[in-house]
Amino acid sequence: MTGYDQMKYLTEIKAALPEYAGVYSQVLQDVLKRLDKAFKAFFRRVKEGSKPGYPRFQGRDRFDSICYPQSGFSVSDKTAFFSKIGNIRIRLHRPLEGKVKTATITRDCGEWYVSYVCEVEAQPLPVSGSSVGVDVGTTWFCITSDGEFVENPRHFQGGLKKLRVAQRAVSRKRNKRSNRRRKAVQQVAKLHRKVARQRLDFHHKTALKLVRENDLIAHEDLGVGAMGRGNLARSIHDVGWGQFFSLLSQKAEWAARKVVRVDPRYTSQRCNACGHTCRENRASQSRFRCVACGHMDNADLNAARNILGRAVPSGINVAVVNASVA
């Protein structure tokens, strides 16, 4: 049954279960849309022959958000109104811009948030006349072809000591339905939330800096999901390349910039000076020495310049490419 087929039964459900009459109709419809999306993804994976995970039932402790997709809500500086709920006092973090499209109420570690999606016009930035290649890593968060090394803050590593203490406190609570265990689990969730927020804030600032300074940004098209299952899984998940690349693309599109994903093969083994490629060129983890021409450089900086070279073909003026992108 499709999501729309299930929506036809909402009237009968409300008659049989009067408590559902206290929920706004479009909120109930949105839940069925989520369910339909989950099963479509499941059947798509079945057809592809991959290992499909059957959609998990979202109980009261897992279903943490409801969405007003079109109507039934309004907002002012100090109050938010939701149909079937009423007026709620809020702290508006910043003024809303453009036309408000949807509102999503989220429960996060015992705290409540509402996120508004607004339709606004893009704001292109003036042409900067520069392009940059970005090589990401775990020692340094990223290295640009301009020679800038961005420090890896290692947010998860920094909070690991507190997380270990909090997780041991959870393991000591044997009764899974006790209030003490519930509070201990919530404390672990709050520590993970803090790490996630720190990482998100860092990604936003780093991506915005690259977008403001460059018309074209090139990075490797990495399979982050597969890389996160290897020996460096903790470090790769801590650095969060997937989230960073996603934010970078969004901000670039907003500012009329261009982000290019290049083939990552042999970017660390190719000499940026002469083009010779072999495994022996990578002298160590941090040093690059070409066995053909003797060119020496930082290994990550050499890779970043190779990434930019693949995004901008040789013989084309970078300023001209940037002007056409803008």
Side-chain angles (χ1 to χ4, degrees):
M1 295 180 65
T2 66
Y4 291 102
D5 292 334
Q6 297 176 69
M7 291 178 193
K8 297 176 183 178
Y9 292 97
L10 283 177
T11 304
E12 298 178 15
I13 292 173
K14 287 183 178 181
L17 302 171
E19 60 267 26
Y20 281 95
V23 183
Y24 187 56
S25 59
Q26 290 194 0
V27 171
L28 294 175
Q29 293 172 8
D30 182 73
V31 174
L32 294 176
K33 288 179 181 177
R34 296 189 200 184
L35 180 65
D36 185 50
K37 182 179 179 181
F39 272 100
K40 284 182 178 178
F42 169 73
F43 289 121
R44 174 181 54 80
R45 292 192 296 271
V46 170
K47 291 180 180 179
E48 291 175 351
S50 58
K51 294 183 179 179
Y54 194 80
R56 175 184 292 178
F57 173 75
Q58 300 295 318
R60 57 173 295 179
D61 295 326
R62 288 187 176 273
F63 199 90
D64 291 322
S65 67
I66 59 174
C67 180
Y68 286 72
Q70 292 178 330
S71 60
F73 65 92
S74 62
V75 60
S76 62
D77 292 341
K78 296 184 179 180
T79 307
F81 169 78
F82 298 97
S83 180
K84 302 291 186 175
I85 297 176
N87 291 315
I88 302 174
R89 292 183 61 189
I90 62 171
R91 295 178 183 176
L92 195 62
H93 293 174
R94 57 178 174 173
L96 300 180
E97 301 177 8
K99 182 180 180 181
V100 182
K101 303 291 286 185
T102 68
T104 303
I105 302 174
T106 306
R107 176 182 60 187
D108 187 4
C109 300
E111 299 175 354
W112 294 87
Y113 300 87
V114 55
S115 302
Y116 294 97
V117 175
C118 304
E119 184 177 2
V120 296
E121 297 293 332
Q123 299 177 356
L125 293 175
V127 176
S128 66
S130 64
S131 298
V132 69
V134 179
D135 181 54
V136 294
T138 54
T139 303
W140 297 91
F141 175 73
C142 70
I143 301 91
T144 69
S145 55
D146 297 332
E148 180 180 2
F149 288 71
V150 180
E151 191 75 32
N152 181 8
R154 294 180 173 84
H155 295 116
F156 182 77
Q157 190 70 26
L160 195 57
K161 183 177 180 180
K162 291 183 178 179
L163 276 169
R164 284 171 175 163
V165 173
Q167 287 168 344
R168 283 198 294 266
V170 173
S171 65
R172 286 195 293 268
K173 312 295 188 295
R174 299 301 178 90
N175 186 357
K176 292 188 176 182
R177 296 184 180 274
S178 68
N179 286 331
R180 294 184 66 190
R181 180 182 172 86
R182 178 179 57 81
K183 292 179 180 179
V185 169
Q186 193 173 77
Q187 182 61 31
V188 173
K190 286 182 178 180
L191 291 172
H192 278 291
R193 182 183 65 179
K194 180 178 180 180
V195 170
R197 286 177 172 178
Q198 288 175 322
R199 185 183 297 117
L200 180 63
D201 179 69
F202 172 73
H203 287 169
H204 270 294
K205 292 176 179 177
T206 306
L208 184 60
K209 184 176 183 295
L210 288 170
V211 169
R212 283 176 174 172
E213 295 178 353
N214 303 280
D215 296 328
L216 184 143
I217 305 162
H219 67 81
E220 294 175 306
D221 188 10
L222 299 175
V224 181
M227 296 174 67
R229 294 190 290 269
N231 296 331
L232 298 175
R234 176 183 290 181
S235 299
I236 290 174
H237 287 305
D238 189 10
V239 79
W241 295 331
Q243 178 177 263
F244 172 69
F245 291 151
S246 177
L247 290 173
L248 184 64
S249 298
Q250 294 173 18
K251 293 181 183 298
E253 184 177 1
W254 173 262
R257 304 300 205 204
K258 186 174 183 180
V259 173
V260 180
R261 296 171 178 261
V262 304
D263 188 350
R265 289 178 294 181
Y266 310 118
T267 54
S268 62
Q269 300 177 14
R270 182 180 185 275
C271 177
N272 181 63
C274 70
H276 178 72
T277 305
C278 70
R279 185 178 299 177
E280 290 74 18
N281 282 348
R282 189 75 179 252
S284 66
Q285 187 66 25
S286 60
R287 298 303 301 170
F288 179 90
R289 184 181 183 277
C290 180
V291 297
C293 68
H295 173 69
M296 298 183 65
D297 203 346
N298 180 278
D300 296 323
L301 180 57
N302 177 79
R305 288 171 177 166
N306 286 332
I307 292 169
L308 179 60
R310 291 186 179 183
V312 182
S314 59
I316 297 180
N317 190 316
V318 173
V320 174
V321 173
N322 291 332
S324 64
V325 170

